[in-house]
PDB file of all heavy atoms in Angstrom:
ATOM      1  N   ALA K 157      -9.518  13.646  45.860  1.00  0.00           N
ATOM      2  CA  ALA K 157     -10.277  13.376  44.665  1.00  0.00           C
ATOM      3  C   ALA K 157      -9.923  14.295  43.522  1.00  0.00           C
ATOM      4  O   ALA K 157      -9.885  13.755  42.407  1.00  0.00           O
ATOM      5  CB  ALA K 157     -11.841  13.544  45.030  1.00  0.00           C
ATOM      6  N   VAL K 158      -9.791  15.602  43.796  1.00  0.00           N
ATOM      7  CA  VAL K 158      -9.516  16.471  42.692  1.00  0.00           C
ATOM      8  C   VAL K 158      -8.189  16.159  41.960  1.00  0.00           C
ATOM      9  O   VAL K 158      -8.214  15.932  40.653  1.00  0.00           O
ATOM     10  CB  VAL K 158      -9.353  18.000  43.181  1.00  0.00           C
ATOM     11  CG1 VAL K 158      -8.826  18.867  42.045  1.00  0.00           C
ATOM     12  CG2 VAL K 158     -10.755  18.383  43.605  1.00  0.00           C
ATOM     13  N   GLU K 159      -7.154  15.784  42.662  1.00  0.00           N
ATOM     14  CA  GLU K 159      -5.917  15.388  41.973  1.00  0.00           C
ATOM     15  C   GLU K 159      -5.991  13.974  41.325  1.00  0.00           C
ATOM     16  O   GLU K 159      -5.528  13.844  40.176  1.00  0.00           O
ATOM     17  CB  GLU K 159      -4.755  15.333  42.983  1.00  0.00           C
ATOM     18  CG  GLU K 159      -4.288  16.746  43.378  1.00  0.00           C
ATOM     19  CD  GLU K 159      -3.841  17.598  42.067  1.00  0.00           C
ATOM     20  OE1 GLU K 159      -3.121  17.041  41.226  1.00  0.00           O
ATOM     21  OE2 GLU K 159      -4.308  18.729  42.026  1.00  0.00           O
ATOM     22  N   LEU K 160      -6.775  13.071  41.947  1.00  0.00           N
ATOM     23  CA  LEU K 160      -6.948  11.637  41.397  1.00  0.00           C
ATOM     24  C   LEU K 160      -7.665  11.779  40.046  1.00  0.00           C
ATOM     25  O   LEU K 160      -7.221  11.209  39.008  1.00  0.00           O
ATOM     26  CB  LEU K 160      -7.612  10.783  42.338  1.00  0.00           C
ATOM     27  CG  LEU K 160      -6.819  10.195  43.430  1.00  0.00           C
ATOM     28  CD1 LEU K 160      -7.663   9.622  44.492  1.00  0.00           C
ATOM     29  CD2 LEU K 160      -5.790   9.160  42.907  1.00  0.00           C
ATOM     30  N   LEU K 161      -8.678  12.601  40.057  1.00  0.00           N
ATOM     31  CA  LEU K 161      -9.504  12.774  38.828  1.00  0.00           C
ATOM     32  C   LEU K 161      -8.926  13.488  37.663  1.00  0.00           C
ATOM     33  O   LEU K 161      -9.393  13.447  36.594  1.00  0.00           O
ATOM     34  CB  LEU K 161     -10.865  13.358  39.139  1.00  0.00           C
ATOM     35  CG  LEU K 161     -11.714  12.438  40.183  1.00  0.00           C
ATOM     36  CD1 LEU K 161     -13.061  13.172  40.616  1.00  0.00           C
ATOM     37  CD2 LEU K 161     -12.103  11.193  39.552  1.00  0.00           C
ATOM     38  N   LYS K 162      -7.832  14.213  37.958  1.00  0.00           N
ATOM     39  CA  LYS K 162      -7.055  14.939  36.978  1.00  0.00           C
ATOM     40  C   LYS K 162      -6.142  13.934  36.162  1.00  0.00           C
ATOM     41  O   LYS K 162      -5.608  14.228  35.086  1.00  0.00           O
ATOM     42  CB  LYS K 162      -6.127  15.988  37.499  1.00  0.00           C
ATOM     43  CG  LYS K 162      -6.919  17.219  37.933  1.00  0.00           C
ATOM     44  CD  LYS K 162      -5.910  18.245  38.526  1.00  0.00           C
ATOM     45  CE  LYS K 162      -6.607  19.495  39.014  1.00  0.00           C
ATOM     46  NZ  LYS K 162      -5.590  20.381  39.635  1.00  0.00           N
ATOM     47  N   GLN K 163      -6.015  12.755  36.676  1.00  0.00           N
ATOM     48  CA  GLN K 163      -4.973  11.827  35.993  1.00  0.00           C
ATOM     49  C   GLN K 163      -5.581  11.246  34.736  1.00  0.00           C
ATOM     50  O   GLN K 163      -6.775  10.860  34.701  1.00  0.00           O
ATOM     51  CB  GLN K 163      -4.688  10.672  37.000  1.00  0.00           C
ATOM     52  CG  GLN K 163      -4.030  11.145  38.269  1.00  0.00           C
ATOM     53  CD  GLN K 163      -2.894  12.045  38.046  1.00  0.00           C
ATOM     54  OE1 GLN K 163      -1.832  11.630  37.452  1.00  0.00           O
ATOM     55  NE2 GLN K 163      -3.013  13.350  38.648  1.00  0.00           N
ATOM     56  N   GLU K 164      -4.744  11.004  33.799  1.00  0.00           N
ATOM     57  CA  GLU K 164      -5.126  10.607  32.378  1.00  0.00           C
ATOM     58  C   GLU K 164      -5.980   9.367  32.395  1.00  0.00           C
ATOM     59  O   GLU K 164      -6.841   9.112  31.659  1.00  0.00           O
ATOM     60  CB  GLU K 164      -3.884  10.477  31.555  1.00  0.00           C
ATOM     61  CG  GLU K 164      -4.235   9.966  30.104  1.00  0.00           C
ATOM     62  CD  GLU K 164      -2.972   9.943  29.287  1.00  0.00           C
ATOM     63  OE1 GLU K 164      -1.869  10.319  29.688  1.00  0.00           O
ATOM     64  OE2 GLU K 164      -3.110   9.479  28.173  1.00  0.00           O
ATOM     65  N   ASP K 165      -5.534   8.361  33.261  1.00  0.00           N
ATOM     66  CA  ASP K 165      -6.127   7.001  33.232  1.00  0.00           C
ATOM     67  C   ASP K 165      -7.260   6.728  34.175  1.00  0.00           C
ATOM     68  O   ASP K 165      -7.706   5.660  34.261  1.00  0.00           O
ATOM     69  CB  ASP K 165      -5.112   5.956  33.285  1.00  0.00           C
ATOM     70  CG  ASP K 165      -4.308   5.864  31.971  1.00  0.00           C
ATOM     71  OD1 ASP K 165      -4.929   5.851  30.889  1.00  0.00           O
ATOM     72  OD2 ASP K 165      -3.080   5.754  31.937  1.00  0.00           O
ATOM     73  N   ILE K 166      -7.527   7.726  35.030  1.00  0.00           N
ATOM     74  CA  ILE K 166      -8.659   7.614  36.123  1.00  0.00           C
ATOM     75  C   ILE K 166      -9.846   8.362  35.479  1.00  0.00           C
ATOM     76  O   ILE K 166      -9.851   9.442  35.394  1.00  0.00           O
ATOM     77  CB  ILE K 166      -8.073   8.158  37.522  1.00  0.00           C
ATOM     78  CG1 ILE K 166      -6.948   7.358  37.950  1.00  0.00           C
ATOM     79  CG2 ILE K 166      -9.274   8.142  38.558  1.00  0.00           C
ATOM     80  CD1 ILE K 166      -6.237   7.821  39.188  1.00  0.00           C
ATOM     81  N   ASP K 167     -10.800   7.482  35.291  1.00  0.00           N
ATOM     82  CA  ASP K 167     -12.041   7.981  34.705  1.00  0.00           C
ATOM     83  C   ASP K 167     -13.164   8.412  35.665  1.00  0.00           C
ATOM     84  O   ASP K 167     -14.117   8.981  35.410  1.00  0.00           O
ATOM     85  CB  ASP K 167     -12.589   6.938  33.716  1.00  0.00           C
ATOM     86  CG  ASP K 167     -11.659   6.711  32.539  1.00  0.00           C
ATOM     87  OD1 ASP K 167     -10.980   7.540  32.098  1.00  0.00           O
ATOM     88  OD2 ASP K 167     -11.573   5.467  32.192  1.00  0.00           O
ATOM     89  N   GLY K 168     -12.959   8.174  36.921  1.00  0.00           N
ATOM     90  CA  GLY K 168     -13.939   8.540  37.911  1.00  0.00           C
ATOM     91  C   GLY K 168     -13.618   7.804  39.200  1.00  0.00           C
ATOM     92  O   GLY K 168     -12.582   7.177  39.435  1.00  0.00           O
ATOM     93  N   GLY K 169     -14.559   7.982  40.207  1.00  0.00           N
ATOM     94  CA  GLY K 169     -14.210   7.519  41.589  1.00  0.00           C
ATOM     95  C   GLY K 169     -15.365   6.585  42.002  1.00  0.00           C
ATOM     96  O   GLY K 169     -16.610   6.806  41.669  1.00  0.00           O
ATOM     97  N   LEU K 170     -15.081   5.541  42.680  1.00  0.00           N
ATOM     98  CA  LEU K 170     -15.995   4.645  43.347  1.00  0.00           C
ATOM     99  C   LEU K 170     -15.891   4.928  44.844  1.00  0.00           C
ATOM    100  O   LEU K 170     -15.030   4.473  45.447  1.00  0.00           O
ATOM    101  CB  LEU K 170     -15.690   3.171  42.969  1.00  0.00           C
ATOM    102  CG  LEU K 170     -16.748   2.123  43.407  1.00  0.00           C
ATOM    103  CD1 LEU K 170     -18.034   2.401  42.661  1.00  0.00           C
ATOM    104  CD2 LEU K 170     -16.194   0.735  43.153  1.00  0.00           C
ATOM    105  N   ILE K 171     -16.856   5.787  45.341  1.00  0.00           N
ATOM    106  CA  ILE K 171     -16.604   6.285  46.670  1.00  0.00           C
ATOM    107  C   ILE K 171     -17.282   5.328  47.664  1.00  0.00           C
ATOM    108  O   ILE K 171     -18.425   4.965  47.511  1.00  0.00           O
ATOM    109  CB  ILE K 171     -17.250   7.639  46.763  1.00  0.00           C
ATOM    110  CG1 ILE K 171     -16.842   8.616  45.594  1.00  0.00           C
ATOM    111  CG2 ILE K 171     -17.001   8.324  48.131  1.00  0.00           C
ATOM    112  CD1 ILE K 171     -15.439   8.852  45.532  1.00  0.00           C
ATOM    113  N   GLY K 172     -16.499   4.913  48.651  1.00  0.00           N
ATOM    114  CA  GLY K 172     -16.982   4.126  49.741  1.00  0.00           C
ATOM    115  C   GLY K 172     -17.277   4.788  50.993  1.00  0.00           C
ATOM    116  O   GLY K 172     -18.243   5.657  51.052  1.00  0.00           O
ATOM    117  N   GLY K 173     -16.569   4.548  52.018  1.00  0.00           N
ATOM    118  CA  GLY K 173     -16.799   5.188  53.380  1.00  0.00           C
ATOM    119  C   GLY K 173     -16.797   6.680  53.368  1.00  0.00           C
ATOM    120  O   GLY K 173     -17.611   7.149  54.207  1.00  0.00           O
ATOM    121  N   ALA K 174     -16.120   7.414  52.602  1.00  0.00           N
ATOM    122  CA  ALA K 174     -16.110   8.742  52.536  1.00  0.00           C
ATOM    123  C   ALA K 174     -17.442   9.371  52.200  1.00  0.00           C
ATOM    124  O   ALA K 174     -17.891  10.459  52.602  1.00  0.00           O
ATOM    125  CB  ALA K 174     -15.097   9.374  51.575  1.00  0.00           C
ATOM    126  N   SER K 175     -18.374   8.537  51.531  1.00  0.00           N
ATOM    127  CA  SER K 175     -19.675   8.974  51.056  1.00  0.00           C
ATOM    128  C   SER K 175     -20.606   8.947  52.279  1.00  0.00           C
ATOM    129  O   SER K 175     -21.723   9.574  52.258  1.00  0.00           O
ATOM    130  CB  SER K 175     -20.248   8.104  50.018  1.00  0.00           C
ATOM    131  OG  SER K 175     -20.500   6.809  50.582  1.00  0.00           O
TER     132      SER K 175
END
Side-chain angles (χ1 to χ4, degrees):
V158 171
E159 285 303 313
L160 284 165
L161 294 172
K162 286 181 182 177
Q163 303 307 301
E164 180 178 352
D165 287 314
I166 298 177
D167 299 321
L170 188 63
I171 313 303
S175 67

